[in-house]
Amino acid sequence: MTMTMTTKPKSPQKKVKFLTYGCQMNVADSERMAAQLKKIGYENEEDAGKADLVIINTCCVRETAEEKIYGKIGELLHLKRENPALILGVVGCMAQKEGEKLIKRAPHIDFVLGTGKAAGLNETVTAAENKSRAHQVNTEFADSGDEFKSFARFYPTEPKVSAWLPIMQGCNNFCTYCIVPYVRGREYSRRPEEIVAEAETAAKNGCREITLLGQNVNSYGKEYADTNFADLLRRINAVENLRRVRFMTSHPKDLSDDVIRAMQEGEKICEHIHLPLQHGSDRILKAMNRRYDTARYRELMQKIRDNIKGAAVTTDIIVGFPGETDEDFDKLLDFIREMRFDAAFTFLYSPRSGTPAATMENQVPEKEKKARLTELMNLQNEISLEINEKLRGEVLEIMTEGESKNDPAVWTGRTRTNKQVLFPHGAEKAGDFIKVKITAPQTWILKGERLAEQNG
Ligand code: 5AD
Ligand code: SF4
């Protein structure tokens, strides 16, 4: 056999810039894509202008997200003009949804990779580097879960004090407004041993907090006889050196008593649950295909509050779902007053083509939707402030995260209930646990003072 010299110049370090939109699942996916790309010589770069590869990890849950992303893709054209060797890839939910359409609208894109194809990212990037395939589009969906599972194994090796850990992917619920089941496919779960092993590795590398991620974590493990979400929580709670365990997102219809028990018993499992309500009118909940009513939600909330001391509950609400009347909206406001959420993420209903709600009659006029959203936000802000005001003077343990956005002398951390606390920085390192006294509670954040040197 003759030896052939490879002529392809190997640049010592290739650089990738990720632009990540949407939920924490996408943030976690970008981290795992970066870990995968490391194997073919890419390191992360902050400045897109210096990158050899730009990857846009996309969201399509609302139209506003898509518009923003199309705008960003347009902006990147100038980089491609300056550096024609730049590779531009679009991945994630909107890549899955739009496919070829993306290239038609923006021919400067080199590849479009769907959500089921993330495990093949390196192969796609290598083909783009070699110019062996122009405009690669791959949005096939094997729908076996194998691709997700092999992709999830690209464990990000950079030490982090707080880590995302995807445990499952997809959604089987088909709420009538939601595009997620179409772009993320059916629910598939990773094996618990694998998840625990990852948590152990992370903890050994200095990680103190893990957030288990999935579109619907409460149905974790449905395909296995030997586990479920409560079991997984218990196993993660037992991982040495971890201090906090979080999870999201929960679906009210699947939140079992056993999960509540696991939260109550597991000393590392934080007293916070994100439990999307979506609406407070039973008629609308039915039309949304949520498969619970306000009575069931109320019961769940009672169980959470009775069993998990000091639990914070946050939620998602959609206003302006088709057919929402003034009466439905009033019911929503009343239910919000009754539930007293710590915080709510509120959204204007956005019709997503291909979902049942998009073609329902009685779409609510935009102006009406906006007026309702403002009213809802004002109410929730009042409630959040009242709840946070009760924390004035309290001493809480926070895990420090790092500098706040606006002032390097002010650091940010989180309480176990997931409230953000701003405090004047002393000698802390990210990942330290300190006690702070809350001095100025606000609607979305708490301001505090550190008590004493107390690292842990
Ligand atoms: N319009 C507005 N909000 C939506 N969400 C999901 N689909 C839509 C839509 N079509 C919201 C839900 C979900 C959150 C992640 O996004 O409240 O919980
Ligand atoms: Fe969408 Fe409903 Fe699934 Fe959440 S549970 S991802 S809202 S379909």
Side-chain angles (χ1 to χ4, degrees), residues 23 60-63 175-180 249 274 276-278 288 290 315-319 321 345-352 355 357:
C23 64
C60 61
V61 77
R62 281 170 289 277
E63 198 181 345
C175 300
T176 53
Y177 50 80
C178 188
I179 189 105
V180 169
T249 288
H274 185 64
L277 167 68
Q278 310 299 3
M288 286 177 160
R290 289 293 287 176
T315 201
D316 291 343
I317 310 279
I318 298 176
V319 295
F321 184 83
F345 300 92
T346 51
F347 306 107
L348 284 181
Y349 167 67
S350 168
R352 307 281 61 209
T355 63

PDB file of all heavy atoms in Angstrom, residues 23 60-63 175-180 249 274 276-278 288 290 315-319 321 345-352 355 357, ligand 1:
ATOM      1  N   CYS A  23     -35.685  27.654  24.212  1.00  0.00           N
ATOM      2  CA  CYS A  23     -35.731  27.152  25.588  1.00  0.00           C
ATOM      3  C   CYS A  23     -34.398  26.567  26.052  1.00  0.00           C
ATOM      4  O   CYS A  23     -33.441  26.477  25.292  1.00  0.00           O
ATOM      5  CB  CYS A  23     -36.819  26.090  25.686  1.00  0.00           C
ATOM      6  SG  CYS A  23     -36.461  24.652  24.656  1.00  0.00           S
ATOM      7  N   CYS A  60     -39.225  27.635  17.154  1.00  0.00           N
ATOM      8  CA  CYS A  60     -40.360  28.046  16.325  1.00  0.00           C
ATOM      9  C   CYS A  60     -41.664  28.017  17.107  1.00  0.00           C
ATOM     10  O   CYS A  60     -42.737  27.916  16.534  1.00  0.00           O
ATOM     11  CB  CYS A  60     -40.458  27.188  15.069  1.00  0.00           C
ATOM     12  SG  CYS A  60     -40.709  25.443  15.398  1.00  0.00           S
ATOM     13  N   VAL A  61     -41.559  28.120  18.426  1.00  0.00           N
ATOM     14  CA  VAL A  61     -42.756  27.968  19.248  1.00  0.00           C
ATOM     15  C   VAL A  61     -43.759  29.111  19.017  1.00  0.00           C
ATOM     16  O   VAL A  61     -44.964  28.905  19.084  1.00  0.00           O
ATOM     17  CB  VAL A  61     -42.376  27.771  20.738  1.00  0.00           C
ATOM     18  CG1 VAL A  61     -41.965  29.056  21.409  1.00  0.00           C
ATOM     19  CG2 VAL A  61     -43.501  27.110  21.507  1.00  0.00           C
ATOM     20  N   ARG A  62     -43.228  30.289  18.708  1.00  0.00           N
ATOM     21  CA  ARG A  62     -44.089  31.423  18.363  1.00  0.00           C
ATOM     22  C   ARG A  62     -43.539  32.100  17.110  1.00  0.00           C
ATOM     23  O   ARG A  62     -42.342  32.032  16.844  1.00  0.00           O
ATOM     24  CB  ARG A  62     -44.138  32.458  19.503  1.00  0.00           C
ATOM     25  CG  ARG A  62     -45.071  32.059  20.629  1.00  0.00           C
ATOM     26  CD  ARG A  62     -44.913  32.961  21.840  1.00  0.00           C
ATOM     27  NE  ARG A  62     -43.642  32.719  22.500  1.00  0.00           N
ATOM     28  CZ  ARG A  62     -43.426  31.749  23.377  1.00  0.00           C
ATOM     29  NH1 ARG A  62     -44.389  30.948  23.724  1.00  0.00           N
ATOM     30  NH2 ARG A  62     -42.233  31.576  23.916  1.00  0.00           N
ATOM     31  N   GLU A  63     -44.426  32.814  16.410  1.00  0.00           N
ATOM     32  CA  GLU A  63     -44.000  33.447  15.164  1.00  0.00           C
ATOM     33  C   GLU A  63     -42.906  34.486  15.404  1.00  0.00           C
ATOM     34  O   GLU A  63     -41.980  34.630  14.606  1.00  0.00           O
ATOM     35  CB  GLU A  63     -45.202  34.101  14.479  1.00  0.00           C
ATOM     36  CG  GLU A  63     -44.945  34.388  13.030  1.00  0.00           C
ATOM     37  CD  GLU A  63     -46.115  35.062  12.352  1.00  0.00           C
ATOM     38  OE1 GLU A  63     -47.230  35.056  12.937  1.00  0.00           O
ATOM     39  OE2 GLU A  63     -45.904  35.607  11.265  1.00  0.00           O
ATOM     40  N   CYS A 175     -50.941  19.358  22.530  1.00  0.00           N
ATOM     41  CA  CYS A 175     -51.792  20.492  22.877  1.00  0.00           C
ATOM     42  C   CYS A 175     -52.084  21.185  21.541  1.00  0.00           C
ATOM     43  O   CYS A 175     -51.202  21.259  20.682  1.00  0.00           O
ATOM     44  CB  CYS A 175     -51.056  21.437  23.817  1.00  0.00           C
ATOM     45  SG  CYS A 175     -50.586  20.618  25.346  1.00  0.00           S
ATOM     46  N   THR A 176     -53.307  21.692  21.377  1.00  0.00           N
ATOM     47  CA  THR A 176     -53.721  22.076  20.024  1.00  0.00           C
ATOM     48  C   THR A 176     -53.016  23.320  19.474  1.00  0.00           C
ATOM     49  O   THR A 176     -53.067  23.594  18.291  1.00  0.00           O
ATOM     50  CB  THR A 176     -55.247  22.293  19.969  1.00  0.00           C
ATOM     51  OG1 THR A 176     -55.598  23.211  21.012  1.00  0.00           O
ATOM     52  CG2 THR A 176     -55.992  20.995  20.163  1.00  0.00           C
ATOM     53  N   TYR A 177     -52.359  24.094  20.361  1.00  0.00           N
ATOM     54  CA  TYR A 177     -51.659  25.299  19.896  1.00  0.00           C
ATOM     55  C   TYR A 177     -50.191  25.027  19.574  1.00  0.00           C
ATOM     56  O   TYR A 177     -49.508  25.869  19.020  1.00  0.00           O
ATOM     57  CB  TYR A 177     -51.707  26.394  20.991  1.00  0.00           C
ATOM     58  CG  TYR A 177     -51.268  25.868  22.354  1.00  0.00           C
ATOM     59  CD1 TYR A 177     -49.927  25.741  22.653  1.00  0.00           C
ATOM     60  CD2 TYR A 177     -52.212  25.462  23.297  1.00  0.00           C
ATOM     61  CE1 TYR A 177     -49.520  25.219  23.875  1.00  0.00           C
ATOM     62  CE2 TYR A 177     -51.816  24.944  24.511  1.00  0.00           C
ATOM     63  CZ  TYR A 177     -50.467  24.818  24.794  1.00  0.00           C
ATOM     64  OH  TYR A 177     -50.072  24.285  25.984  1.00  0.00           O
ATOM     65  N   CYS A 178     -49.688  23.850  19.938  1.00  0.00           N
ATOM     66  CA  CYS A 178     -48.242  23.695  20.075  1.00  0.00           C
ATOM     67  C   CYS A 178     -47.587  22.946  18.924  1.00  0.00           C
ATOM     68  O   CYS A 178     -48.034  21.879  18.506  1.00  0.00           O
ATOM     69  CB  CYS A 178     -47.948  22.982  21.392  1.00  0.00           C
ATOM     70  SG  CYS A 178     -46.190  22.958  21.774  1.00  0.00           S
ATOM     71  N   ILE A 179     -46.489  23.502  18.459  1.00  0.00           N
ATOM     72  CA  ILE A 179     -45.770  22.932  17.320  1.00  0.00           C
ATOM     73  C   ILE A 179     -44.725  21.900  17.768  1.00  0.00           C
ATOM     74  O   ILE A 179     -44.240  21.106  16.965  1.00  0.00           O
ATOM     75  CB  ILE A 179     -45.109  24.095  16.520  1.00  0.00           C
ATOM     76  CG1 ILE A 179     -44.521  23.640  15.175  1.00  0.00           C
ATOM     77  CG2 ILE A 179     -43.993  24.755  17.291  1.00  0.00           C
ATOM     78  CD1 ILE A 179     -45.335  24.051  14.002  1.00  0.00           C
ATOM     79  N   VAL A 180     -44.424  21.913  19.074  1.00  0.00           N
ATOM     80  CA  VAL A 180     -43.318  21.079  19.584  1.00  0.00           C
ATOM     81  C   VAL A 180     -43.425  19.596  19.199  1.00  0.00           C
ATOM     82  O   VAL A 180     -42.448  19.004  18.737  1.00  0.00           O
ATOM     83  CB  VAL A 180     -43.154  21.272  21.109  1.00  0.00           C
ATOM     84  CG1 VAL A 180     -42.222  20.234  21.711  1.00  0.00           C
ATOM     85  CG2 VAL A 180     -42.619  22.670  21.397  1.00  0.00           C
ATOM     86  N   THR A 249     -39.589  20.614  31.951  1.00  0.00           N
ATOM     87  CA  THR A 249     -40.832  21.186  32.394  1.00  0.00           C
ATOM     88  C   THR A 249     -41.810  20.085  32.784  1.00  0.00           C
ATOM     89  O   THR A 249     -41.777  19.011  32.202  1.00  0.00           O
ATOM     90  CB  THR A 249     -41.425  22.039  31.261  1.00  0.00           C
ATOM     91  OG1 THR A 249     -40.651  23.223  31.129  1.00  0.00           O
ATOM     92  CG2 THR A 249     -42.834  22.453  31.504  1.00  0.00           C
ATOM     93  N   HIS A 274     -41.945  24.269  37.968  1.00  0.00           N
ATOM     94  CA  HIS A 274     -42.522  25.039  36.870  1.00  0.00           C
ATOM     95  C   HIS A 274     -43.647  24.189  36.297  1.00  0.00           C
ATOM     96  O   HIS A 274     -43.406  23.121  35.735  1.00  0.00           O
ATOM     97  CB  HIS A 274     -41.460  25.342  35.817  1.00  0.00           C
ATOM     98  CG  HIS A 274     -41.983  26.230  34.728  1.00  0.00           C
ATOM     99  ND1 HIS A 274     -42.401  27.518  34.966  1.00  0.00           N
ATOM    100  CD2 HIS A 274     -42.190  26.020  33.408  1.00  0.00           C
ATOM    101  CE1 HIS A 274     -42.834  28.063  33.838  1.00  0.00           C
ATOM    102  NE2 HIS A 274     -42.718  27.165  32.885  1.00  0.00           N
ATOM    103  N   PRO A 276     -46.746  24.579  33.955  1.00  0.00           N
ATOM    104  CA  PRO A 276     -47.538  25.411  33.040  1.00  0.00           C
ATOM    105  C   PRO A 276     -49.046  25.164  33.146  1.00  0.00           C
ATOM    106  O   PRO A 276     -49.500  24.036  32.986  1.00  0.00           O
ATOM    107  CB  PRO A 276     -47.002  25.014  31.658  1.00  0.00           C
ATOM    108  CG  PRO A 276     -45.607  24.553  31.929  1.00  0.00           C
ATOM    109  CD  PRO A 276     -45.686  23.842  33.256  1.00  0.00           C
ATOM    110  N   LEU A 277     -49.764  26.226  33.447  1.00  0.00           N
ATOM    111  CA  LEU A 277     -51.221  26.159  33.563  1.00  0.00           C
ATOM    112  C   LEU A 277     -51.864  26.377  32.191  1.00  0.00           C
ATOM    113  O   LEU A 277     -52.831  25.730  31.848  1.00  0.00           O
ATOM    114  CB  LEU A 277     -51.692  27.240  34.553  1.00  0.00           C
ATOM    115  CG  LEU A 277     -53.175  27.558  34.604  1.00  0.00           C
ATOM    116  CD1 LEU A 277     -53.973  26.389  35.171  1.00  0.00           C
ATOM    117  CD2 LEU A 277     -53.451  28.818  35.446  1.00  0.00           C
ATOM    118  N   GLN A 278     -51.332  27.296  31.439  1.00  0.00           N
ATOM    119  CA  GLN A 278     -51.789  27.705  30.091  1.00  0.00           C
ATOM    120  C   GLN A 278     -53.091  28.488  30.100  1.00  0.00           C
ATOM    121  O   GLN A 278     -53.203  29.474  29.395  1.00  0.00           O
ATOM    122  CB  GLN A 278     -51.897  26.518  29.105  1.00  0.00           C
ATOM    123  CG  GLN A 278     -50.678  25.604  29.034  1.00  0.00           C
ATOM    124  CD  GLN A 278     -49.382  26.257  28.596  1.00  0.00           C
ATOM    125  OE1 GLN A 278     -49.323  27.460  28.370  1.00  0.00           O
ATOM    126  NE2 GLN A 278     -48.312  25.482  28.508  1.00  0.00           N
ATOM    127  N   MET A 288     -57.694  23.408  24.288  1.00  0.00           N
ATOM    128  CA  MET A 288     -56.234  23.309  24.158  1.00  0.00           C
ATOM    129  C   MET A 288     -55.755  21.858  24.233  1.00  0.00           C
ATOM    130  O   MET A 288     -54.580  21.589  24.052  1.00  0.00           O
ATOM    131  CB  MET A 288     -55.558  24.089  25.291  1.00  0.00           C
ATOM    132  CG  MET A 288     -55.599  25.603  25.158  1.00  0.00           C
ATOM    133  SD  MET A 288     -54.822  26.329  26.645  1.00  0.00           S
ATOM    134  CE  MET A 288     -54.423  27.973  26.028  1.00  0.00           C
ATOM    135  N   ARG A 290     -55.482  20.047  26.979  1.00  0.00           N
ATOM    136  CA  ARG A 290     -54.523  19.935  28.085  1.00  0.00           C
ATOM    137  C   ARG A 290     -54.805  18.720  28.968  1.00  0.00           C
ATOM    138  O   ARG A 290     -53.961  18.321  29.773  1.00  0.00           O
ATOM    139  CB  ARG A 290     -54.530  21.225  28.919  1.00  0.00           C
ATOM    140  CG  ARG A 290     -53.915  22.401  28.205  1.00  0.00           C
ATOM    141  CD  ARG A 290     -52.432  22.220  28.001  1.00  0.00           C
ATOM    142  NE  ARG A 290     -51.659  22.376  29.236  1.00  0.00           N
ATOM    143  CZ  ARG A 290     -50.346  22.195  29.320  1.00  0.00           C
ATOM    144  NH1 ARG A 290     -49.660  21.841  28.244  1.00  0.00           N
ATOM    145  NH2 ARG A 290     -49.713  22.348  30.457  1.00  0.00           N
ATOM    146  N   THR A 315     -45.291  29.396  36.305  1.00  0.00           N
ATOM    147  CA  THR A 315     -46.189  28.841  35.288  1.00  0.00           C
ATOM    148  C   THR A 315     -46.039  29.541  33.943  1.00  0.00           C
ATOM    149  O   THR A 315     -45.342  30.541  33.836  1.00  0.00           O
ATOM    150  CB  THR A 315     -47.654  28.913  35.808  1.00  0.00           C
ATOM    151  OG1 THR A 315     -48.449  27.984  35.092  1.00  0.00           O
ATOM    152  CG2 THR A 315     -48.237  30.316  35.666  1.00  0.00           C
ATOM    153  N   ASP A 316     -46.684  28.970  32.940  1.00  0.00           N
ATOM    154  CA  ASP A 316     -46.806  29.594  31.618  1.00  0.00           C
ATOM    155  C   ASP A 316     -48.289  29.802  31.345  1.00  0.00           C
ATOM    156  O   ASP A 316     -49.102  28.920  31.648  1.00  0.00           O
ATOM    157  CB  ASP A 316     -46.292  28.668  30.507  1.00  0.00           C
ATOM    158  CG  ASP A 316     -44.792  28.450  30.529  1.00  0.00           C
ATOM    159  OD1 ASP A 316     -44.079  29.226  31.183  1.00  0.00           O
ATOM    160  OD2 ASP A 316     -44.336  27.478  29.879  1.00  0.00           O
ATOM    161  N   ILE A 317     -48.605  30.934  30.749  1.00  0.00           N
ATOM    162  CA  ILE A 317     -50.004  31.241  30.402  1.00  0.00           C
ATOM    163  C   ILE A 317     -50.055  31.742  28.961  1.00  0.00           C
ATOM    164  O   ILE A 317     -49.213  32.544  28.554  1.00  0.00           O
ATOM    165  CB  ILE A 317     -50.573  32.379  31.278  1.00  0.00           C
ATOM    166  CG1 ILE A 317     -50.330  32.163  32.766  1.00  0.00           C
ATOM    167  CG2 ILE A 317     -52.048  32.622  30.968  1.00  0.00           C
ATOM    168  CD1 ILE A 317     -51.284  31.237  33.431  1.00  0.00           C
ATOM    169  N   ILE A 318     -51.048  31.284  28.235  1.00  0.00           N
ATOM    170  CA  ILE A 318     -51.275  31.801  26.877  1.00  0.00           C
ATOM    171  C   ILE A 318     -52.575  32.605  26.881  1.00  0.00           C
ATOM    172  O   ILE A 318     -53.612  32.090  27.312  1.00  0.00           O
ATOM    173  CB  ILE A 318     -51.400  30.648  25.854  1.00  0.00           C
ATOM    174  CG1 ILE A 318     -50.096  29.846  25.806  1.00  0.00           C
ATOM    175  CG2 ILE A 318     -51.769  31.177  24.484  1.00  0.00           C
ATOM    176  CD1 ILE A 318     -50.159  28.627  24.903  1.00  0.00           C
ATOM    177  N   VAL A 319     -52.522  33.840  26.408  1.00  0.00           N
ATOM    178  CA  VAL A 319     -53.763  34.601  26.257  1.00  0.00           C
ATOM    179  C   VAL A 319     -54.100  34.743  24.781  1.00  0.00           C
ATOM    180  O   VAL A 319     -53.225  34.770  23.925  1.00  0.00           O
ATOM    181  CB  VAL A 319     -53.736  36.010  26.908  1.00  0.00           C
ATOM    182  CG1 VAL A 319     -53.612  35.919  28.406  1.00  0.00           C
ATOM    183  CG2 VAL A 319     -52.646  36.875  26.320  1.00  0.00           C
ATOM    184  N   PHE A 321     -56.091  32.580  23.046  1.00  0.00           N
ATOM    185  CA  PHE A 321     -56.354  31.328  22.329  1.00  0.00           C
ATOM    186  C   PHE A 321     -57.696  31.471  21.604  1.00  0.00           C
ATOM    187  O   PHE A 321     -58.607  32.152  22.103  1.00  0.00           O
ATOM    188  CB  PHE A 321     -56.393  30.167  23.342  1.00  0.00           C
ATOM    189  CG  PHE A 321     -56.553  28.816  22.711  1.00  0.00           C
ATOM    190  CD1 PHE A 321     -55.437  28.143  22.213  1.00  0.00           C
ATOM    191  CD2 PHE A 321     -57.804  28.228  22.569  1.00  0.00           C
ATOM    192  CE1 PHE A 321     -55.570  26.902  21.607  1.00  0.00           C
ATOM    193  CE2 PHE A 321     -57.950  26.981  21.958  1.00  0.00           C
ATOM    194  CZ  PHE A 321     -56.829  26.318  21.481  1.00  0.00           C
ATOM    195  N   PHE A 345     -44.778  33.195  33.060  1.00  0.00           N
ATOM    196  CA  PHE A 345     -44.349  33.614  31.730  1.00  0.00           C
ATOM    197  C   PHE A 345     -45.603  33.681  30.891  1.00  0.00           C
ATOM    198  O   PHE A 345     -46.316  32.686  30.754  1.00  0.00           O
ATOM    199  CB  PHE A 345     -43.330  32.637  31.155  1.00  0.00           C
ATOM    200  CG  PHE A 345     -42.106  32.541  32.007  1.00  0.00           C
ATOM    201  CD1 PHE A 345     -41.999  31.576  33.002  1.00  0.00           C
ATOM    202  CD2 PHE A 345     -41.081  33.459  31.861  1.00  0.00           C
ATOM    203  CE1 PHE A 345     -40.888  31.520  33.830  1.00  0.00           C
ATOM    204  CE2 PHE A 345     -39.965  33.414  32.688  1.00  0.00           C
ATOM    205  CZ  PHE A 345     -39.863  32.444  33.670  1.00  0.00           C
ATOM    206  N   THR A 346     -45.884  34.867  30.384  1.00  0.00           N
ATOM    207  CA  THR A 346     -47.160  35.063  29.700  1.00  0.00           C
ATOM    208  C   THR A 346     -46.923  35.294  28.207  1.00  0.00           C
ATOM    209  O   THR A 346     -46.015  36.025  27.823  1.00  0.00           O
ATOM    210  CB  THR A 346     -47.886  36.270  30.311  1.00  0.00           C
ATOM    211  OG1 THR A 346     -46.992  37.378  30.339  1.00  0.00           O
ATOM    212  CG2 THR A 346     -48.344  35.976  31.730  1.00  0.00           C
ATOM    213  N   PHE A 347     -47.733  34.639  27.391  1.00  0.00           N
ATOM    214  CA  PHE A 347     -47.522  34.699  25.945  1.00  0.00           C
ATOM    215  C   PHE A 347     -48.810  35.037  25.224  1.00  0.00           C
ATOM    216  O   PHE A 347     -49.887  34.616  25.633  1.00  0.00           O
ATOM    217  CB  PHE A 347     -47.037  33.330  25.434  1.00  0.00           C
ATOM    218  CG  PHE A 347     -45.826  32.814  26.157  1.00  0.00           C
ATOM    219  CD1 PHE A 347     -45.932  31.756  27.058  1.00  0.00           C
ATOM    220  CD2 PHE A 347     -44.582  33.395  25.960  1.00  0.00           C
ATOM    221  CE1 PHE A 347     -44.816  31.283  27.737  1.00  0.00           C
ATOM    222  CE2 PHE A 347     -43.462  32.927  26.640  1.00  0.00           C
ATOM    223  CZ  PHE A 347     -43.576  31.871  27.526  1.00  0.00           C
ATOM    224  N   LEU A 348     -48.655  35.760  24.118  1.00  0.00           N
ATOM    225  CA  LEU A 348     -49.777  35.980  23.206  1.00  0.00           C
ATOM    226  C   LEU A 348     -49.910  34.732  22.366  1.00  0.00           C
ATOM    227  O   LEU A 348     -48.902  34.245  21.838  1.00  0.00           O
ATOM    228  CB  LEU A 348     -49.457  37.119  22.238  1.00  0.00           C
ATOM    229  CG  LEU A 348     -49.520  38.553  22.711  1.00  0.00           C
ATOM    230  CD1 LEU A 348     -49.192  39.473  21.537  1.00  0.00           C
ATOM    231  CD2 LEU A 348     -50.905  38.867  23.253  1.00  0.00           C
ATOM    232  N   TYR A 349     -51.105  34.241  22.219  1.00  0.00           N
ATOM    233  CA  TYR A 349     -51.280  33.062  21.365  1.00  0.00           C
ATOM    234  C   TYR A 349     -50.779  33.373  19.952  1.00  0.00           C
ATOM    235  O   TYR A 349     -51.113  34.398  19.361  1.00  0.00           O
ATOM    236  CB  TYR A 349     -52.752  32.634  21.313  1.00  0.00           C
ATOM    237  CG  TYR A 349     -52.993  31.630  20.219  1.00  0.00           C
ATOM    238  CD1 TYR A 349     -52.438  30.354  20.310  1.00  0.00           C
ATOM    239  CD2 TYR A 349     -53.694  31.973  19.070  1.00  0.00           C
ATOM    240  CE1 TYR A 349     -52.593  29.442  19.283  1.00  0.00           C
ATOM    241  CE2 TYR A 349     -53.858  31.068  18.045  1.00  0.00           C
ATOM    242  CZ  TYR A 349     -53.297  29.805  18.150  1.00  0.00           C
ATOM    243  OH  TYR A 349     -53.437  28.911  17.129  1.00  0.00           O
ATOM    244  N   SER A 350     -49.966  32.475  19.422  1.00  0.00           N
ATOM    245  CA  SER A 350     -49.404  32.652  18.086  1.00  0.00           C
ATOM    246  C   SER A 350     -49.794  31.443  17.237  1.00  0.00           C
ATOM    247  O   SER A 350     -49.406  30.317  17.553  1.00  0.00           O
ATOM    248  CB  SER A 350     -47.872  32.761  18.231  1.00  0.00           C
ATOM    249  OG  SER A 350     -47.242  32.670  16.995  1.00  0.00           O
ATOM    250  N   PRO A 351     -50.603  31.653  16.189  1.00  0.00           N
ATOM    251  CA  PRO A 351     -51.044  30.503  15.387  1.00  0.00           C
ATOM    252  C   PRO A 351     -49.853  29.846  14.683  1.00  0.00           C
ATOM    253  O   PRO A 351     -49.066  30.536  14.044  1.00  0.00           O
ATOM    254  CB  PRO A 351     -51.995  31.126  14.359  1.00  0.00           C
ATOM    255  CG  PRO A 351     -52.277  32.508  14.833  1.00  0.00           C
ATOM    256  CD  PRO A 351     -51.128  32.930  15.680  1.00  0.00           C
ATOM    257  N   ARG A 352     -49.714  28.549  14.826  1.00  0.00           N
ATOM    258  CA  ARG A 352     -48.629  27.808  14.194  1.00  0.00           C
ATOM    259  C   ARG A 352     -49.229  26.890  13.145  1.00  0.00           C
ATOM    260  O   ARG A 352     -50.028  26.008  13.489  1.00  0.00           O
ATOM    261  CB  ARG A 352     -47.867  26.963  15.236  1.00  0.00           C
ATOM    262  CG  ARG A 352     -47.359  27.724  16.453  1.00  0.00           C
ATOM    263  CD  ARG A 352     -46.084  28.515  16.211  1.00  0.00           C
ATOM    264  NE  ARG A 352     -46.211  29.533  15.208  1.00  0.00           N
ATOM    265  CZ  ARG A 352     -45.191  29.951  14.453  1.00  0.00           C
ATOM    266  NH1 ARG A 352     -44.004  29.443  14.587  1.00  0.00           N
ATOM    267  NH2 ARG A 352     -45.363  30.896  13.568  1.00  0.00           N
ATOM    268  N   THR A 355     -50.921  23.103  13.256  1.00  0.00           N
ATOM    269  CA  THR A 355     -51.529  22.732  14.538  1.00  0.00           C
ATOM    270  C   THR A 355     -53.037  22.964  14.457  1.00  0.00           C
ATOM    271  O   THR A 355     -53.490  23.851  13.722  1.00  0.00           O
ATOM    272  CB  THR A 355     -50.970  23.585  15.695  1.00  0.00           C
ATOM    273  OG1 THR A 355     -51.306  24.960  15.467  1.00  0.00           O
ATOM    274  CG2 THR A 355     -49.452  23.447  15.818  1.00  0.00           C
ATOM    275  N   ALA A 357     -55.197  24.402  16.404  1.00  0.00           N
ATOM    276  CA  ALA A 357     -55.748  25.697  16.819  1.00  0.00           C
ATOM    277  C   ALA A 357     -55.589  26.766  15.738  1.00  0.00           C
ATOM    278  O   ALA A 357     -56.361  27.726  15.704  1.00  0.00           O
ATOM    279  CB  ALA A 357     -55.082  26.154  18.110  1.00  0.00           C
TER     280      ALA A 357
HETATM  281  N1  5AD B   1     -48.478  30.537  21.066  1.00  0.00           N
HETATM  282  C1  5AD B   1     -48.115  31.125  22.230  1.00  0.00           C
HETATM  283  N2  5AD B   1     -47.464  30.479  23.199  1.00  0.00           N
HETATM  284  C2  5AD B   1     -47.174  29.180  22.998  1.00  0.00           C
HETATM  285  N3  5AD B   1     -46.550  28.276  23.784  1.00  0.00           N
HETATM  286  C3  5AD B   1     -46.489  27.107  23.120  1.00  0.00           C
HETATM  287  N4  5AD B   1     -47.058  27.232  21.915  1.00  0.00           N
HETATM  288  C4  5AD B   1     -47.509  28.517  21.818  1.00  0.00           C
HETATM  289  C5  5AD B   1     -48.196  29.242  20.814  1.00  0.00           C
HETATM  290  N5  5AD B   1     -48.573  28.679  19.669  1.00  0.00           N
HETATM  291  C6  5AD B   1     -46.093  28.586  25.135  1.00  0.00           C
HETATM  292  C7  5AD B   1     -46.696  27.656  26.177  1.00  0.00           C
HETATM  293  C8  5AD B   1     -45.542  26.798  26.572  1.00  0.00           C
HETATM  294  C9  5AD B   1     -44.391  27.745  26.395  1.00  0.00           C
HETATM  295  C10 5AD B   1     -43.059  27.106  26.303  1.00  0.00           C
HETATM  296  O1  5AD B   1     -44.693  28.421  25.212  1.00  0.00           O
HETATM  297  O2  5AD B   1     -47.139  28.438  27.260  1.00  0.00           O
HETATM  298  O3  5AD B   1     -45.644  26.320  27.904  1.00  0.00           O
END
